[in-house]
Amino acid sequence: AQKITQTQPGMFVQEKEAVTLDCTYDTSDPSYGLFWYKQPSSGEMIFLIYQGSYDQQNATEGRYSLNFQKARKSANLVISASQLGDSAMYFCAMTGNGGFKTIFGAGTRLFVKA
Amino acid sequence: EAGVAQSPRYKIIEKRQSVAFWCNPISGHATLYWYQQILGQGPKLLIQFQNNGVVDDSQLPKDRFSAERLKGVDSTLKIQPAKLEDSAVYLCASSLAPGIEQYFGPGTRLTVT
């Protein structure tokens, strides 16, 4: 069975500093995708970044990068130069072989301090 | 480009009543998802459509929940009869194909009293 674990219920970071949000996963599928989504207090889920299980390089999207360590089954999100608007819930998610069985972690709430 | 539309945004019903939610995905997106997000938890996939066919409904409580996607575009999710534990936000999402980024609607917040 697939599983996503986010062990940090809440994180604080100072504005303009970098922060790492942890995500570990478990799957027996040979091919899978890993995603990070942001959910502000308004509630709408926003896609941030994607990493395929066969991708050799870590994904980057602007201030977001995904630290993918396949052997350790981890897919941590790094946000550089945090902004006040980054305060939100962050969810790690995974899809299995063929793009089915999407599962989400419990989320990490990030607080950015001025 | 218009995003994923959902209605209603809020719904309050009594237990044992029925309710229906509607979703209009982004134009051209073949894959549509319904999720249930209970307060304080991550979303849980209820059903996934590819065009108008169901490809995964393994976590859909089929004794009370049903969903359809006629003509491979709009979709409706129905609960009949509702239970107190169905109180949650119901999120609809769509993607061009399975396994790539999903785009979410604003959700419908359901309260069952």
Side-chain angles (χ1 to χ4, degrees), chain A residues 2 8 25 36 41 46-47 49-51 53 59 64 70-71 91 93 100 107-108:
Chain A
Q2 298 186 139
Q8 305 155 313
Y25 63 92
W36 278 91
S41 55
I46 301 165
F47 165 73
I49 195 166
Y50 162 80
Q51 179 85 41
S53 58
Y64 304 107
K70 194 170 184 177
F91 291 97
F100 307 123
T108 295

Side-chain angles (χ1 to χ4, degrees), chain A residues 85-108:
Chain A
D86 294 335
S87 293
M89 281 291 289
Y90 289 82
F91 291 97
C92 181
M94 175 170 63
T95 58
N97 211 18
F100 307 123
K101 305 291 186 190
T102 302
I103 59 168
F104 279 76
T108 295

